[in-house]
Amino acid sequence: MVERHAVAGTGAFEDEGDRVFVEINELEVAVFRIDGEYHALVNYCPHQGAPLCEGELTGESTVDEDWNWTYDETERNVRCPWHGWVFDVTTGESTDAERYRMPTYDVEVEDDTVYVLR
Amino acid sequence: MSRTAEKQIELSELAIVDADSHVSQGAPELVPYIPDRYSGARKMIEISEHPQREVYSYGRASPPFANDSGNVRSQGDFSNLRADTPEAKRDVMERFDIERTVLTPGQNVHLAGVNNDDAAAALAVAYNDWIRETFLDADDSFYGTLSIAPQKPQEAAEEIERVADERDIVGVQFPVAGLTPPAGHRQYLPIYEAAAKHDLPIVMHGGNSNSQGVFPVQRKWSETFLEDHAFTFPAGIMWQLITVVMRGIPERFPDLDFVLQEAGIEWLPWMMWRLDDHYLQVSFDAPALDKQPSEYIEEQFYVTTQPLGHTDNTRHMAMALELAGGADTVMFASDHPHPDFDTPEELFENLRSRFEPEDIRRMMGETAADVFGL
C-alpha cells in the first residue's frame, strides 16, 4: 500500500537542480527539482551499486542530419558519480540503454511540504 | 547444447555458401576495361612495370606464407593462385561441395591504398565490368561484390548506382585496409546511402598489404609476415567497426547490413562488451546512438569465418562462435585460393559439437544467402 512520506519544506528546493535525500522503509530516495517540478528517484545505480543520485546533473548531446552536435542544456539527467552512467531523473530511464530503468516515485506538495508516495 | 546434432546432419546434406572467395586480379586484367574518362590514370597504370607496388602500394614485412614452397612466393602475390578462371573456381567448389560463392576481388580489396584517386576510381569501375564479363556471366553459382574507390565517395555512389541492379552483384566491397579517414567518417555517407538504397550489404575485408604506414595496421617493427598478418587483419577491422558503429552509421541506415571478412570472429563478443561498457560510461562521446553498440552489431553485422583459428578443443571454438552471434551472425568462408584457406569441414566439425542442425545449416550457407540475397 502506498504511503505518503514527508521529505522537506519547499524552501529546500529554491533553485533548479536542488535535491534532498530521504530514507523510506530502508530505501534511499532523492527528490530533485527539475524544470520547476519535483521528481523522486531511487539512490542506486544498477551498474555497480553506487549512490546514483549524488552525481552531477547534466544535459544531453545529440547529432542532427548534418552531423552537427548540439547540446540540450536542460539538466534533467543525473550522471552516476562512479562510472558515469546517465539516467533521466524524470523517468528513471537510462539515457543510453532501454534495458536499464530505475524506480521513480510520485511526489506531492501540500502546505509547502514535499511528500514522496511509496 | 546438444551433441545429438552429430547424428542428425552430415556435411553432404548442406547447401554450402562461400561468403569470401577471391578471384585472382591485379591491374593488368583491368586495364582493358578502364573507360576513356580515366585515360590519364589508365596510362599511368599501363606504364608501370610493377603496378602491384606502384599503383596498389603493396609491401610486406617479409615474404608471405614462407612455408608454402609452391606458387606463392614464385608469383610474388598469393592472390594470383588458381583463381584466375571460372573453371578454376568451379573446380574448387565441386571438390568441396560448395553450392554458391560470393567472389571477392583480388588486389582491389586494397584499393584504399592507391595513392592516385583517379587511378583508384578507374580500377573500381574496370573491375565491375571485368568481373561480370569473366566470372559472373560464366556461371550462375557465382555472385560478386562490386568494387568502389573510397577516395572519391560521390563517384563511388554513382558506381553503385551503375551496377547495383545486376543480378549477380550482391554487395559493396568497401576497401578498408589502410583507409584514411576510417570508414565511420561522414565523407563516406554517399556510399552508405547508395548501398542502403539498393539493399546491398557493405562488405569490409581485412587486409594490410598496402597499409604499412596507416593506423592501426602500420607494420614498422614487425620483423616477419607472421607477426604482421596475425595482428593487422583483425586490428584493422576492429578500428573500422568502432568508427562505423560509434559515429552512428547503422543508426542512420537501420536496414543496411555490414559483412566483415577475414578478420576472425572470436574477438567480436569481447568488442561488443567493451564498446557497451565504454558507451555507458562515456555516452557523451556517442550522441548519434540510441541504443547500446552491441545491439547495432547484433542486428546489422555479420562475420565470415576464415581464418577460423586453431584449437584442438572444438567445444571451445563452438562456444566462441555462439558468443559471436551464432547463426544470426556467422557465415562460412573459404578464402580460396589463399594459403590460409578453410575447408567447409573445418567449420562444420566445430559446429557439430554444439549446434542444432538448423543453426548449422544457417552458418554453412543459409545466413549468407539471406544477407546477400542469393
Side-chain angles (χ1 to χ4, degrees):
Chain A
M1 182 177 169
V2 174
E3 295 176 352
R4 197 164 82 156
H5 308 271
V7 176
T10 52
F13 298 91
E14 272 189 3
D15 299 319
E16 276 299 304
D18 279 349
R19 73 193 84 175
V20 172
F21 292 85
V22 59
E23 188 170 312
I24 301 172
N25 301 335
E26 300 184 354
L27 183 73
E28 190 156 71
V29 170
V31 178
F32 294 81
R33 178 183 152 180
I34 306 286
D35 203 16
E37 303 284 333
Y38 297 100
H39 300 274
L41 177 69
V42 66
N43 185 28
Y44 185 86
C45 182
H47 178 216
Q48 294 188 19
L52 171 66
C53 297
E54 293 178 9
E56 290 181 7
L57 289 171
T58 176
E60 193 172 356
S61 288
T62 54
V63 170
D64 66 18
E65 273 296 299
D66 297 324
W67 212 287
N68 299 309
W69 287 35
T70 54
Y71 185 74
D72 180 351
E73 299 277 359
T74 309
E75 294 188 330
R76 70 164 144 267
N77 307 310
V78 64
R79 185 174 59 226
C80 181
W82 284 5
H83 300 99
W85 285 32
V86 180
F87 290 82
D88 184 331
V89 173
T90 68
T91 64
E93 296 170 351
S94 163
T95 57
D96 306 311
E98 254 183 18
R99 74 183 64 181
Y100 301 115
R101 178 177 186 156
M102 299 310 292
T104 57
Y105 304 96
D106 290 335
V107 180
E108 288 181 355
V109 180
E110 185 175 318
D111 297 334
D112 292 334
T113 298
V114 176
Y115 299 89
V116 167
L117 304 182
R118 177 171 188 256
Chain B
M1 190 198 307
S2 169
R3 294 188 60 82
T4 59
E6 292 186 29
K7 295 186 179 66
Q8 293 172 1
I9 192 165
E10 297 296 333
L11 188 58
S12 57
E13 301 169 31
L14 299 171
I16 299 170
V17 174
D18 188 342
D20 178 20
S21 182
H22 292 269
V23 293
S24 300
Q25 166 265 313
E29 290 86 359
L30 303 189
V31 166
Y33 292 83
I34 295 176
D36 288 344
R37 69 179 187 277
Y38 297 114
S39 61
R42 184 172 61 201
K43 189 65 179 173
M44 173 194 287
I45 297 165
E46 276 178 339
I47 63 175
S48 173
E49 291 183 14
H50 305 285
Q52 189 175 320
R53 293 203 300 271
E54 295 167 353
V55 177
Y56 287 95
S57 309
Y58 268 45
R60 298 189 188 286
S62 69
F65 295 104
N67 279 21
D68 190 316
S69 59
N71 294 330
V72 174
R73 279 172 292 142
S74 64
Q75 295 197 19
D77 171 23
F78 60 81
S79 71
N80 280 332
L81 276 172
R82 301 180 301 276
D84 51 350
T85 64
E87 293 72 28
K89 188 59 74 176
R90 198 178 293 129
D91 284 348
V92 79
M93 291 172 67
E94 286 173 6
R95 176 171 177 179
F96 293 106
D97 202 19
I98 293 167
E99 188 173 278
R100 288 170 290 180
T101 287
V102 178
L103 298 173
T104 303
Q107 291 179 21
N108 264 30
V109 161
H110 290 114
L111 215 49
V114 176
N115 291 309
N116 184 282
D117 292 355
D118 230 29
L123 290 166
V125 170
Y127 177 86
N128 295 331
D129 289 338
W130 172 81
I131 189 69
R132 282 184 291 156
E133 190 172 311
T134 55
F135 278 88
L136 302 184
D137 289 348
D139 194 316
D140 285 345
S141 61
F142 295 159
Y143 299 83
T145 50
L146 69 90
S147 189
I148 55 165
Q151 292 90 336
K152 291 188 157 186
Q154 193 55 48
E155 279 187 39
E158 291 164 9
E159 183 61 9
I160 294 170
E161 288 286 339
R162 185 175 77 91
V163 294
D165 291 338
E166 297 291 333
R167 186 195 75 87
D168 302 330
I169 294 295
V170 295
V172 175
Q173 185 68 233
F174 191 140
V176 294
L179 180 70
T180 52
H185 195 276
R186 73 193 74 174
Q187 76 180 38
Y188 304 120
L189 281 178
I191 294 171
Y192 295 121
E193 284 171 2
K197 176 184 171 187
H198 291 282
D199 197 24
L200 291 174
I202 291 286
V203 184
M204 298 178 175
H205 193 284
N208 70 347
S209 296
N210 57 355
S211 49
Q212 56 269 29
V214 176
F215 175 83
V217 289
Q218 66 269 45
R219 68 171 60 89
K220 189 169 176 59
W221 308 119
S222 291
E223 289 200 348
T224 63
F225 166 80
L226 185 158
E227 294 174 357
D228 181 29
H229 190 274
F231 176 71
T232 55
F233 274 57
I237 289 291
M238 285 179 195
W239 172 232
Q240 306 303 340
L241 171 74
I242 289 170
T243 66
V244 166
V245 172
M246 301 314 290
R247 300 181 196 182
I249 303 298
E251 170 66 29
R252 277 177 185 259
F253 303 101
D255 296 325
L256 183 60
D257 291 330
F258 299 83
V259 177
L260 309 179
Q261 295 173 321
E262 200 169 345
I265 44 102
E266 298 86 348
W267 54 265
L268 190 59
W270 166 79
M271 179 59 77
M272 289 193 282
W273 300 333
R274 185 169 175 80
L275 287 180
D276 284 356
D277 191 45
H278 276 70
Y279 169 66
L280 290 165
Q281 293 195 22
V282 201
S283 56
F284 180 87
D285 285 355
L289 303 199
D290 271 348
K291 54 190 176 187
Q292 297 189 79
S294 65
E295 296 178 77
Y296 294 103
I297 293 170
E298 287 169 0
E299 292 169 16
Q300 291 177 252
F301 280 74
Y302 299 82
V303 290
T304 62
T305 52
Q306 180 283 337
L308 198 53
H310 178 71
T311 169
D312 289 331
N313 191 327
T314 59
R315 284 185 299 157
H316 285 177
M317 180 63 77
M319 288 168 68
L321 289 160
E322 182 179 315
L323 292 172
D328 293 334
T329 303
V330 173
M331 309 190 295
F332 166 72
S334 75
D335 193 42
H336 172 262
H338 295 163
D340 50 349
F341 69 93
D342 285 337
T343 63
E345 190 171 14
E346 176 72 4
L347 177 61
F348 181 72
E349 289 303 324
N350 283 288
L351 297 180
R352 287 216 301 178
S353 70
R354 187 171 188 87
F355 292 96
E356 297 295 332
E358 174 54 30
D359 286 338
I360 294 175
R361 282 192 196 92
R362 292 177 66 200
M363 282 182 269
M364 296 303 298
E366 290 177 1
T367 298
D370 287 344
V371 172
F372 289 110
L374 306 187

